[in-house]
Amino acid sequence: MRTQLRSDTSLLEFWEATRLSDDARYPDQAEPTAGTDEAIRAALAGVLGHGCGQRVGTVLAKGGTFVQARTTPSAGALYPFEVLVGLSDGERCVSYLYEVDSGQLNSFSSAPPVPLAELVAQAGLADVEPAPVRAVITLVARPWTSMAKYGRRGYLYTYLDIGHAATNLALAARAAGLEAAIHLRFRRQWLAHALGLAGTCREPQAVVTITAPEETSTDRPAADPPADGDGVVTPVWRDRRQARLEPPGDPERRNFEALRDISLAYAPAAVARPGRIVSVTEPPPPADVSADVVLRRPGSVPGDHAALAVLRQSAKGFLPAAVSLDQLAGLLEGLDGQLAADFAESAPAGVGVRVVARAVTGLTPGAYAWSARRYALQPAGGGPVEEEDVLATCQRQDGLRHAGALVLLHTPLRSLLREQGRAGLAEVHFHAAHVAQRMCVNAARERVGITCVGGFDEAHAARLGRLPRGGEAIYLLAVGVADPAARKVDRDPVAYSHGRKAAGLI
Ligand SMILES: Cc1cc2nc3c(=O)[nH]c(=O)nc-3n(C[C@H](O)[C@H](O)[C@H](O)COP(=O)(O)O)c2cc1C
Protein backbone atom coordinates (compact mmCIF):
# COMPACT_ATOMS: atom_id res chain seq x y z
CA MET A 1 0.00 0.00 0.00
CA ARG A 2 1.29 3.41 -0.90
CA THR A 3 1.57 5.77 2.00
CA GLN A 4 0.48 9.28 1.25
CA LEU A 5 3.25 11.79 1.04
CA ARG A 6 2.72 15.47 1.30
CA SER A 7 5.20 18.18 0.59
CA ASP A 8 5.19 21.94 0.96
CA THR A 9 7.28 22.28 -2.15
CA SER A 10 5.28 20.41 -4.72
CA LEU A 11 6.42 22.57 -7.63
CA LEU A 12 10.06 22.03 -6.75
CA GLU A 13 9.49 18.33 -6.36
CA PHE A 14 7.76 18.20 -9.72
CA TRP A 15 10.74 19.96 -11.26
CA GLU A 16 13.20 17.58 -9.61
CA ALA A 17 11.18 14.57 -10.63
CA THR A 18 11.19 15.61 -14.28
CA ARG A 19 14.99 15.95 -14.53
CA LEU A 20 16.93 13.09 -15.99
CA SER A 21 20.14 12.67 -14.00
CA ASP A 22 20.22 10.54 -10.86
CA ASP A 23 21.72 13.43 -8.90
CA ALA A 24 18.76 15.52 -9.88
CA ARG A 25 16.25 12.84 -8.97
CA TYR A 26 17.66 12.45 -5.50
CA PRO A 27 19.32 15.78 -4.75
CA ASP A 28 19.41 15.26 -1.00
CA GLN A 29 21.04 11.86 -1.25
CA ALA A 30 24.51 13.38 -1.33
CA GLU A 31 23.92 15.29 1.88
CA PRO A 32 23.03 12.89 4.63
CA THR A 33 21.98 14.23 8.00
CA ALA A 34 25.16 15.33 9.74
CA GLY A 35 26.65 12.67 11.98
CA THR A 36 24.89 9.67 10.46
CA ASP A 37 27.17 6.77 9.73
CA GLU A 38 27.36 6.34 5.95
CA ALA A 39 28.56 2.75 6.14
CA ILE A 40 25.62 1.64 8.24
CA ARG A 41 23.21 3.53 5.98
CA ALA A 42 24.59 1.83 2.88
CA ALA A 43 24.51 -1.61 4.48
CA LEU A 44 21.03 -1.04 5.87
CA ALA A 45 19.60 0.05 2.53
CA GLY A 46 20.69 -3.31 1.09
CA VAL A 47 19.27 -5.20 4.07
CA LEU A 48 15.93 -3.40 3.77
CA GLY A 49 15.77 -3.95 0.02
CA HIS A 50 16.47 -7.67 0.30
CA GLY A 51 14.57 -8.09 3.56
CA CYS A 52 11.22 -6.60 2.62
CA GLY A 53 11.69 -4.45 -0.47
CA GLN A 54 10.59 -4.60 -4.07
CA ARG A 55 11.62 -7.38 -6.38
CA VAL A 56 11.13 -7.60 -10.11
CA GLY A 57 7.57 -8.28 -11.25
CA THR A 58 4.04 -7.57 -10.17
CA VAL A 59 1.50 -9.52 -8.12
CA LEU A 60 -2.26 -9.48 -8.05
CA ALA A 61 -3.75 -7.50 -5.19
CA LYS A 62 -7.13 -6.19 -4.07
CA GLY A 63 -9.82 -5.64 -6.64
CA GLY A 64 -7.83 -7.35 -9.40
CA THR A 65 -5.17 -4.63 -9.56
CA PHE A 66 -1.48 -5.40 -9.82
CA VAL A 67 1.13 -4.11 -7.40
CA GLN A 68 4.92 -4.27 -7.37
CA ALA A 69 6.16 -7.65 -6.07
CA ARG A 70 8.19 -7.81 -2.85
CA THR A 71 10.74 -10.15 -1.36
CA THR A 72 8.29 -11.50 1.24
CA PRO A 73 4.83 -12.96 0.68
CA SER A 74 1.69 -11.28 1.93
CA ALA A 75 -1.90 -12.46 2.26
CA GLY A 76 -3.74 -10.96 -0.71
CA ALA A 77 -0.58 -8.93 -1.52
CA LEU A 78 -1.92 -6.31 0.88
CA TYR A 79 1.30 -5.84 2.91
CA PRO A 80 -0.58 -4.55 5.97
CA PHE A 81 2.42 -2.99 7.64
CA GLU A 82 4.81 -0.09 7.47
CA VAL A 83 8.52 0.00 8.18
CA LEU A 84 10.12 2.68 10.34
CA VAL A 85 13.89 2.86 10.58
CA GLY A 86 15.69 4.63 13.43
CA LEU A 87 19.37 5.54 13.20
CA SER A 88 21.70 7.70 15.24
CA ASP A 89 22.98 11.00 13.85
CA GLY A 90 25.63 11.01 16.55
CA GLU A 91 23.44 12.74 19.12
CA ARG A 92 19.88 11.69 18.67
CA CYS A 93 17.75 9.15 16.87
CA VAL A 94 16.64 10.09 13.38
CA SER A 95 13.75 8.19 11.84
CA TYR A 96 12.76 7.26 8.33
CA LEU A 97 9.67 5.75 6.81
CA TYR A 98 10.60 3.08 4.30
CA GLU A 99 8.25 3.74 1.41
CA VAL A 100 8.62 0.34 -0.22
CA ASP A 101 6.51 1.22 -3.25
CA SER A 102 8.68 4.16 -4.19
CA GLY A 103 11.98 2.66 -3.00
CA GLN A 104 12.65 5.61 -0.70
CA LEU A 105 13.54 6.11 2.94
CA ASN A 106 11.98 9.44 3.74
CA SER A 107 12.61 11.41 6.87
CA PHE A 108 9.86 10.85 9.42
CA SER A 109 9.59 13.84 11.68
CA SER A 110 7.51 12.26 14.45
CA ALA A 111 10.56 10.48 15.83
CA PRO A 112 11.50 11.36 19.41
CA PRO A 113 14.47 13.72 19.91
CA VAL A 114 16.37 11.26 22.11
CA PRO A 115 19.63 9.37 21.56
CA LEU A 116 19.19 5.99 19.91
CA ALA A 117 20.50 4.18 23.01
CA GLU A 118 17.85 5.91 25.11
CA LEU A 119 15.10 4.94 22.70
CA VAL A 120 16.32 1.34 22.89
CA ALA A 121 16.32 1.40 26.68
CA GLN A 122 12.99 3.19 27.10
CA ALA A 123 11.23 0.95 24.63
CA GLY A 124 12.43 -2.08 26.60
CA LEU A 125 14.37 -3.50 23.67
CA ALA A 126 16.40 -6.03 25.63
CA ASP A 127 20.11 -6.50 24.91
CA VAL A 128 20.29 -9.61 22.79
CA GLU A 129 23.65 -9.00 21.13
CA PRO A 130 26.67 -7.66 23.04
CA ALA A 131 27.42 -4.81 20.57
CA PRO A 132 25.52 -1.51 20.72
CA VAL A 133 22.41 -1.18 18.57
CA ARG A 134 23.10 0.73 15.33
CA ALA A 135 19.60 0.74 13.89
CA VAL A 136 16.07 -0.02 15.04
CA ILE A 137 13.65 -1.31 12.41
CA THR A 138 10.07 -1.19 13.67
CA LEU A 139 7.45 -3.19 11.79
CA VAL A 140 4.19 -1.39 12.34
CA ALA A 141 0.95 -3.22 11.60
CA ARG A 142 -1.95 -1.39 10.07
CA PRO A 143 -4.54 -4.10 10.75
CA TRP A 144 -7.39 -2.52 8.79
CA THR A 145 -5.47 -3.02 5.55
CA SER A 146 -5.88 -6.76 5.99
CA MET A 147 -9.07 -6.87 8.08
CA ALA A 148 -11.13 -4.91 5.56
CA LYS A 149 -10.75 -7.93 3.31
CA TYR A 150 -10.33 -10.88 5.67
CA GLY A 151 -12.35 -9.87 8.73
CA ARG A 152 -10.99 -10.93 12.12
CA ARG A 153 -8.68 -13.49 10.56
CA GLY A 154 -6.94 -10.62 8.80
CA TYR A 155 -5.44 -9.60 12.13
CA LEU A 156 -3.58 -12.93 12.30
CA TYR A 157 -2.27 -12.29 8.81
CA THR A 158 -0.62 -9.11 10.09
CA TYR A 159 1.34 -11.30 12.53
CA LEU A 160 2.28 -13.71 9.75
CA ASP A 161 3.17 -11.03 7.20
CA ILE A 162 5.30 -9.18 9.72
CA GLY A 163 6.88 -12.44 10.89
CA HIS A 164 7.96 -13.16 7.30
CA ALA A 165 9.40 -9.66 6.92
CA ALA A 166 11.19 -9.65 10.31
CA THR A 167 12.73 -13.07 9.60
CA ASN A 168 13.84 -12.04 6.14
CA LEU A 169 15.33 -8.81 7.45
CA ALA A 170 17.30 -10.82 10.02
CA LEU A 171 18.52 -13.25 7.35
CA ALA A 172 19.46 -10.38 5.02
CA ALA A 173 21.31 -8.61 7.84
CA ARG A 174 23.31 -11.72 8.63
CA ALA A 175 24.16 -12.16 4.94
CA ALA A 176 25.42 -8.56 4.93
CA GLY A 177 27.76 -9.20 7.88
CA LEU A 178 25.53 -7.54 10.47
CA GLU A 179 23.73 -9.05 13.45
CA ALA A 180 19.98 -8.78 13.91
CA ALA A 181 17.71 -9.57 16.83
CA ILE A 182 13.93 -9.90 16.82
CA HIS A 183 11.98 -8.23 19.62
CA LEU A 184 8.38 -9.05 20.47
CA ARG A 185 8.50 -8.30 24.22
CA PHE A 186 9.00 -4.55 24.23
CA ARG A 187 6.91 -1.63 25.49
CA ARG A 188 4.60 -1.21 22.56
CA GLN A 189 2.64 1.72 23.89
CA TRP A 190 5.78 3.65 24.74
CA LEU A 191 7.24 3.03 21.29
CA ALA A 192 3.95 3.83 19.57
CA HIS A 193 3.81 7.17 21.36
CA ALA A 194 7.48 7.89 20.81
CA LEU A 195 7.15 7.27 17.08
CA GLY A 196 4.06 9.44 16.82
CA LEU A 197 1.76 6.52 16.05
CA ALA A 198 -0.81 7.18 18.77
CA GLY A 199 -4.24 7.69 17.22
CA THR A 200 -3.16 6.39 13.81
CA CYS A 201 -4.65 2.87 14.21
CA ARG A 202 -1.21 1.33 13.91
CA GLU A 203 0.66 -0.93 16.29
CA PRO A 204 4.36 -1.73 16.42
CA GLN A 205 4.27 -5.52 16.31
CA ALA A 206 7.92 -6.46 15.94
CA VAL A 207 11.25 -4.69 16.14
CA VAL A 208 14.46 -5.84 14.49
CA THR A 209 17.55 -4.31 16.08
CA ILE A 210 20.73 -4.22 14.04
CA THR A 211 24.19 -4.40 15.53
CA ALA A 212 27.57 -4.52 13.82
CA PRO A 213 30.04 -7.11 15.11
CA GLU A 214 33.53 -5.82 15.98
CA GLU A 215 35.21 -7.15 12.89
CA THR A 216 32.74 -5.40 10.58
CA SER A 217 33.21 -2.11 12.34
CA THR A 218 31.49 0.66 10.47
CA ASP A 219 34.39 3.03 11.22
CA ARG A 220 35.93 1.89 7.97
CA PRO A 221 35.17 3.85 4.80
CA ALA A 222 31.62 3.65 3.56
CA ALA A 223 30.90 0.57 1.47
CA ASP A 224 29.45 1.03 -1.97
CA PRO A 225 25.70 0.74 -1.76
CA PRO A 226 24.50 -2.64 -3.05
CA ALA A 227 23.96 -2.40 -6.77
CA ASP A 228 20.49 -2.49 -8.23
CA GLY A 229 20.10 -4.84 -11.09
CA ASP A 230 20.23 -7.96 -8.93
CA GLY A 231 16.43 -7.93 -9.01
CA VAL A 232 15.84 -5.99 -5.79
CA VAL A 233 15.38 -2.24 -5.51
CA THR A 234 17.81 -0.78 -2.97
CA PRO A 235 15.99 2.10 -1.29
CA VAL A 236 17.39 5.60 -1.36
CA TRP A 237 17.79 7.72 1.79
CA ARG A 238 16.06 11.09 1.48
CA ASP A 239 16.81 13.35 4.39
CA ARG A 240 14.93 16.43 3.34
CA ARG A 241 11.76 14.80 2.22
CA GLN A 242 9.17 14.49 4.96
CA ALA A 243 6.93 11.45 5.02
CA ARG A 244 3.59 11.38 6.78
CA LEU A 245 1.30 8.50 7.49
CA GLU A 246 -2.07 8.20 5.86
CA PRO A 247 -4.65 9.09 8.51
CA PRO A 248 -7.30 6.49 9.39
CA GLY A 249 -10.97 6.87 8.53
CA ASP A 250 -13.92 6.01 10.77
CA PRO A 251 -14.21 2.29 9.87
CA GLU A 252 -10.51 1.87 10.60
CA ARG A 253 -10.89 3.61 13.97
CA ARG A 254 -13.81 1.41 14.95
CA ASN A 255 -11.93 -1.66 13.83
CA PHE A 256 -8.80 -0.73 15.78
CA GLU A 257 -10.82 -0.09 18.91
CA ALA A 258 -12.31 -3.57 18.61
CA LEU A 259 -8.82 -5.09 18.86
CA ARG A 260 -8.34 -3.93 22.45
CA ASP A 261 -8.84 -7.40 23.92
CA ILE A 262 -6.57 -9.13 21.43
CA SER A 263 -3.75 -6.79 20.56
CA LEU A 264 -0.52 -6.82 22.51
CA ALA A 265 -0.47 -3.04 22.17
CA TYR A 266 -2.88 -2.80 25.11
CA ALA A 267 -1.19 -5.35 27.38
CA PRO A 268 1.91 -5.08 29.58
CA ALA A 269 4.99 -6.46 27.88
CA ALA A 270 5.91 -10.05 28.78
CA VAL A 271 9.27 -10.48 30.53
CA ALA A 272 12.03 -10.41 27.91
CA ARG A 273 14.25 -13.51 27.68
CA PRO A 274 17.15 -12.63 25.38
CA GLY A 275 18.76 -15.56 23.63
CA ARG A 276 18.47 -17.72 20.53
CA ILE A 277 15.15 -19.10 19.36
CA VAL A 278 14.43 -22.16 17.27
CA SER A 279 10.93 -22.15 15.82
CA VAL A 280 10.51 -25.86 15.09
CA THR A 281 9.49 -28.29 17.83
CA GLU A 282 10.54 -31.92 17.72
CA PRO A 283 7.83 -34.58 17.58
CA PRO A 284 7.79 -37.16 20.40
CA PRO A 285 10.18 -40.07 19.64
CA PRO A 286 8.45 -42.74 17.54
CA ALA A 287 7.64 -46.19 18.88
CA ASP A 288 9.36 -47.76 15.86
CA VAL A 289 12.35 -45.79 14.58
CA SER A 290 12.85 -48.24 11.73
CA ALA A 291 9.68 -46.90 10.07
CA ASP A 292 11.25 -43.45 9.72
CA VAL A 293 12.03 -42.08 6.28
CA VAL A 294 15.46 -40.52 6.76
CA LEU A 295 16.05 -37.83 4.14
CA ARG A 296 19.34 -37.01 2.50
CA ARG A 297 20.75 -33.83 4.03
CA PRO A 298 21.61 -31.39 1.26
CA GLY A 299 25.40 -31.20 0.98
CA SER A 300 26.83 -27.72 1.20
CA VAL A 301 23.89 -25.39 1.11
CA PRO A 302 24.79 -22.13 -0.59
CA GLY A 303 23.90 -19.43 1.88
CA ASP A 304 23.40 -16.73 -0.70
CA HIS A 305 20.37 -15.12 0.86
CA ALA A 306 20.62 -12.00 -1.32
CA ALA A 307 20.31 -14.04 -4.52
CA LEU A 308 17.50 -16.21 -3.17
CA ALA A 309 15.48 -13.30 -1.77
CA VAL A 310 15.12 -12.03 -5.31
CA LEU A 311 13.92 -15.38 -6.63
CA ARG A 312 11.35 -16.06 -3.91
CA GLN A 313 7.81 -16.03 -5.18
CA SER A 314 4.54 -17.83 -4.66
CA ALA A 315 3.43 -20.49 -7.11
CA LYS A 316 0.17 -19.31 -8.64
CA GLY A 317 -0.79 -22.88 -9.52
CA PHE A 318 0.73 -26.37 -9.69
CA LEU A 319 1.17 -28.82 -12.54
CA PRO A 320 -0.16 -32.37 -12.08
CA ALA A 321 3.33 -33.71 -11.36
CA ALA A 322 5.25 -35.09 -8.38
CA VAL A 323 8.03 -33.37 -6.44
CA SER A 324 11.11 -35.42 -5.64
CA LEU A 325 12.13 -36.59 -2.19
CA ASP A 326 15.40 -34.68 -2.53
CA GLN A 327 13.50 -31.49 -3.31
CA LEU A 328 11.42 -32.07 -0.19
CA ALA A 329 14.64 -32.65 1.79
CA GLY A 330 16.02 -29.35 0.46
CA LEU A 331 12.80 -27.57 1.34
CA LEU A 332 12.99 -28.71 4.95
CA GLU A 333 16.67 -27.79 5.30
CA GLY A 334 17.62 -25.55 8.21
CA LEU A 335 14.08 -25.00 9.49
CA ASP A 336 15.56 -25.33 12.97
CA GLY A 337 17.97 -22.47 12.25
CA GLN A 338 18.38 -20.04 15.11
CA LEU A 339 17.49 -16.38 15.38
CA ALA A 340 18.52 -13.97 18.11
CA ALA A 341 15.37 -12.82 19.90
CA ASP A 342 13.93 -11.57 23.17
CA PHE A 343 11.49 -14.46 23.67
CA ALA A 344 13.91 -17.36 24.11
CA GLU A 345 11.98 -19.27 26.77
CA SER A 346 13.64 -22.21 28.47
CA ALA A 347 10.72 -24.50 27.57
CA PRO A 348 10.76 -25.27 23.86
CA ALA A 349 8.35 -23.08 21.95
CA GLY A 350 7.58 -23.13 18.26
CA VAL A 351 5.50 -25.10 15.84
CA GLY A 352 5.44 -28.73 14.80
CA VAL A 353 5.97 -29.43 11.11
CA ARG A 354 3.62 -32.00 9.60
CA VAL A 355 4.06 -33.09 5.98
CA VAL A 356 1.06 -34.48 4.12
CA ALA A 357 2.50 -36.19 1.05
CA ARG A 358 0.22 -36.60 -1.94
CA ALA A 359 2.58 -36.85 -4.89
CA VAL A 360 6.19 -37.06 -3.72
CA THR A 361 8.34 -39.51 -5.67
CA GLY A 362 9.59 -42.27 -3.40
CA LEU A 363 7.35 -41.40 -0.47
CA THR A 364 4.19 -43.33 0.42
CA PRO A 365 1.29 -40.87 0.55
CA GLY A 366 0.13 -39.96 4.04
CA ALA A 367 0.99 -37.80 7.02
CA TYR A 368 4.48 -37.49 8.50
CA ALA A 369 5.90 -35.63 11.48
CA TRP A 370 9.16 -33.84 10.61
CA SER A 371 12.10 -34.35 12.94
CA ALA A 372 14.62 -31.64 12.09
CA ARG A 373 17.10 -33.16 14.55
CA ARG A 374 17.10 -36.60 12.92
CA TYR A 375 16.34 -35.24 9.47
CA ALA A 376 13.59 -37.79 9.19
CA LEU A 377 9.91 -38.05 8.40
CA GLN A 378 8.06 -40.09 11.04
CA PRO A 379 4.94 -41.77 9.60
CA ALA A 380 1.84 -40.44 11.36
CA GLY A 381 -0.78 -42.46 9.51
CA GLY A 382 -3.26 -41.82 6.77
CA GLY A 383 -3.49 -43.30 3.32
CA PRO A 384 -3.69 -41.96 -0.21
CA VAL A 385 -4.28 -38.21 -0.36
CA GLU A 386 -6.61 -37.07 -3.11
CA GLU A 387 -6.96 -33.77 -4.93
CA GLU A 388 -10.29 -33.48 -3.17
CA ASP A 389 -8.49 -33.59 0.22
CA VAL A 390 -6.32 -30.67 -0.85
CA LEU A 391 -9.31 -28.70 -2.10
CA ALA A 392 -11.38 -29.39 1.02
CA THR A 393 -8.48 -28.36 3.23
CA CYS A 394 -7.62 -25.22 1.24
CA GLN A 395 -11.05 -23.63 1.00
CA ARG A 396 -11.44 -25.00 -2.54
CA GLN A 397 -8.66 -22.83 -3.91
CA ASP A 398 -8.44 -24.43 -7.30
CA GLY A 399 -4.88 -23.29 -8.04
CA LEU A 400 -3.66 -25.52 -5.20
CA ARG A 401 -5.44 -28.65 -6.50
CA HIS A 402 -2.28 -30.36 -7.80
CA ALA A 403 -0.07 -29.64 -4.78
CA GLY A 404 2.27 -32.60 -4.26
CA ALA A 405 2.41 -32.00 -0.51
CA LEU A 406 0.90 -29.80 2.16
CA VAL A 407 3.03 -28.72 5.09
CA LEU A 408 1.07 -27.93 8.24
CA LEU A 409 2.62 -25.80 10.96
CA HIS A 410 0.77 -26.71 14.13
CA THR A 411 0.58 -26.17 17.86
CA PRO A 412 -1.83 -26.92 20.69
CA LEU A 413 -3.21 -23.41 20.38
CA ARG A 414 -5.99 -23.44 22.93
CA SER A 415 -3.76 -24.55 25.82
CA LEU A 416 -1.08 -22.11 24.68
CA LEU A 417 -3.56 -19.24 24.76
CA ARG A 418 -4.76 -20.28 28.20
CA GLU A 419 -1.19 -20.30 29.51
CA GLN A 420 0.37 -17.38 27.64
CA GLY A 421 -2.50 -15.18 26.50
CA ARG A 422 -1.92 -12.57 23.81
CA ALA A 423 1.84 -12.87 23.91
CA GLY A 424 1.45 -16.57 23.12
CA LEU A 425 -0.74 -15.78 20.11
CA ALA A 426 1.76 -13.27 18.72
CA GLU A 427 4.82 -15.40 19.39
CA VAL A 428 3.49 -18.65 17.96
CA HIS A 429 2.52 -16.83 14.77
CA PHE A 430 6.02 -15.42 14.61
CA HIS A 431 7.43 -18.94 14.93
CA ALA A 432 5.15 -20.12 12.11
CA ALA A 433 6.15 -17.24 9.85
CA HIS A 434 9.82 -17.81 10.67
CA VAL A 435 9.61 -21.45 9.55
CA ALA A 436 7.51 -20.52 6.50
CA GLN A 437 9.95 -17.82 5.39
CA ARG A 438 12.88 -20.24 5.59
CA MET A 439 10.85 -22.67 3.47
CA CYS A 440 10.09 -19.93 0.93
CA VAL A 441 13.82 -19.17 0.59
CA ASN A 442 14.64 -22.89 0.37
CA ALA A 443 11.97 -23.32 -2.30
CA ALA A 444 13.65 -20.64 -4.38
CA ARG A 445 16.94 -22.54 -4.11
CA GLU A 446 15.38 -25.94 -4.85
CA ARG A 447 13.17 -24.49 -7.58
CA VAL A 448 10.11 -26.05 -5.96
CA GLY A 449 6.78 -24.29 -6.22
CA ILE A 450 5.46 -23.08 -2.88
CA THR A 451 2.42 -21.09 -1.76
CA CYS A 452 1.83 -19.88 1.77
CA VAL A 453 -1.82 -20.52 2.55
CA GLY A 454 -3.83 -18.66 5.15
CA GLY A 455 -7.19 -19.72 3.70
CA PHE A 456 -7.54 -23.27 5.00
CA ASP A 457 -10.00 -25.25 7.07
CA GLU A 458 -8.47 -26.12 10.44
CA ALA A 459 -10.64 -29.20 11.05
CA HIS A 460 -9.86 -30.74 7.64
CA ALA A 461 -6.18 -29.91 8.08
CA ALA A 462 -6.07 -31.56 11.52
CA ARG A 463 -7.72 -34.72 10.19
CA LEU A 464 -5.60 -34.90 7.06
CA GLY A 465 -2.37 -34.28 8.96
CA ARG A 466 -3.30 -36.65 11.80
CA LEU A 467 -2.37 -33.91 14.21
CA PRO A 468 -1.88 -34.85 17.85
CA ARG A 469 -4.84 -34.32 20.17
CA GLY A 470 -5.43 -30.60 20.73
CA GLY A 471 -3.09 -29.71 17.86
CA GLU A 472 -4.24 -27.08 15.40
CA ALA A 473 -2.70 -25.99 12.13
CA ILE A 474 -2.05 -22.27 12.28
CA TYR A 475 -0.37 -21.92 8.90
CA LEU A 476 -0.12 -24.10 5.84
CA LEU A 477 2.21 -24.29 2.87
CA ALA A 478 1.32 -25.96 -0.41
CA VAL A 479 4.25 -27.44 -2.30
CA GLY A 480 4.46 -28.75 -5.86
CA VAL A 481 5.70 -28.26 -9.36
CA ALA A 482 4.88 -24.65 -10.16
CA ASP A 483 2.76 -24.02 -13.23
CA PRO A 484 4.36 -20.97 -14.85
CA ALA A 485 1.25 -20.36 -16.94
CA ALA A 486 -1.11 -20.24 -13.94
CA ARG A 487 -2.76 -16.92 -13.15
CA LYS A 488 -4.16 -15.97 -9.79
CA VAL A 489 -7.62 -14.58 -9.38
CA ASP A 490 -8.71 -12.34 -6.53
CA ARG A 491 -10.76 -14.81 -4.54
CA ASP A 492 -13.40 -12.86 -2.72
CA PRO A 493 -15.20 -16.11 -1.79
CA VAL A 494 -12.14 -17.04 0.29
CA ALA A 495 -12.20 -13.67 1.99
CA TYR A 496 -15.88 -14.08 2.70
CA SER A 497 -15.35 -17.53 4.11
CA HIS A 498 -13.10 -15.87 6.67
CA GLY A 499 -16.11 -14.24 8.20
CA ARG A 500 -16.48 -11.04 6.23
CA LYS A 501 -20.14 -10.57 5.48
CA ALA A 502 -20.25 -6.97 4.50
CA ALA A 503 -17.79 -4.17 4.06
CA GLY A 504 -16.70 -2.41 7.20
CA LEU A 505 -16.91 -5.34 9.59
CA ILE A 506 -14.31 -6.66 11.92
C1 LIG B 1 -0.25 -15.00 5.65
C2 LIG B 1 -0.40 -15.34 4.19
C3 LIG B 1 -1.52 -15.99 3.73
C4 LIG B 1 -1.64 -16.32 2.37
N1 LIG B 1 -2.73 -17.05 1.94
C5 LIG B 1 -2.82 -17.43 0.66
C6 LIG B 1 -3.89 -18.26 0.24
O1 LIG B 1 -4.76 -18.65 1.02
N2 LIG B 1 -3.92 -18.62 -1.08
C7 LIG B 1 -2.96 -18.23 -1.98
O2 LIG B 1 -3.04 -18.60 -3.15
N3 LIG B 1 -1.93 -17.44 -1.59
C8 LIG B 1 -1.83 -17.05 -0.30
N4 LIG B 1 -0.76 -16.29 0.11
C9 LIG B 1 0.27 -15.90 -0.87
C10 LIG B 1 -0.01 -14.50 -1.40
O3 LIG B 1 -1.12 -14.51 -2.25
C11 LIG B 1 1.24 -13.98 -2.13
O4 LIG B 1 2.29 -13.91 -1.22
C12 LIG B 1 0.99 -12.62 -2.72
O5 LIG B 1 0.09 -12.71 -3.79
C13 LIG B 1 2.28 -12.00 -3.22
O6 LIG B 1 2.86 -12.79 -4.20
P1 LIG B 1 4.33 -13.36 -4.08
O7 LIG B 1 4.38 -14.22 -2.85
O8 LIG B 1 4.55 -14.15 -5.35
O9 LIG B 1 5.27 -12.22 -3.96
C14 LIG B 1 -0.62 -15.96 1.45
C15 LIG B 1 0.51 -15.28 1.93
C16 LIG B 1 0.63 -14.98 3.28
C17 LIG B 1 1.88 -14.31 3.78
Side-chain angles (χ1 to χ4, degrees), residues 55 59-60 69-70 72-77 79 157 160-161 164 312-314 316 397 400 451-455 475 488 491 494:
R55 64 173 173 84
V59 289
L60 187 69
R70 300 193 188 187
T72 54
S74 168
Y79 311 101
Y157 293 165
L160 291 171
D161 264 46
H164 276 279
R312 184 224 61 84
Q313 60 174 302
S314 304
K316 313 300 178 221
Q397 297 188 52
L400 307 176
T451 308
C452 299
V453 180
Y475 203 12
K488 238 181 183 157
R491 291 173 311 275
V494 177

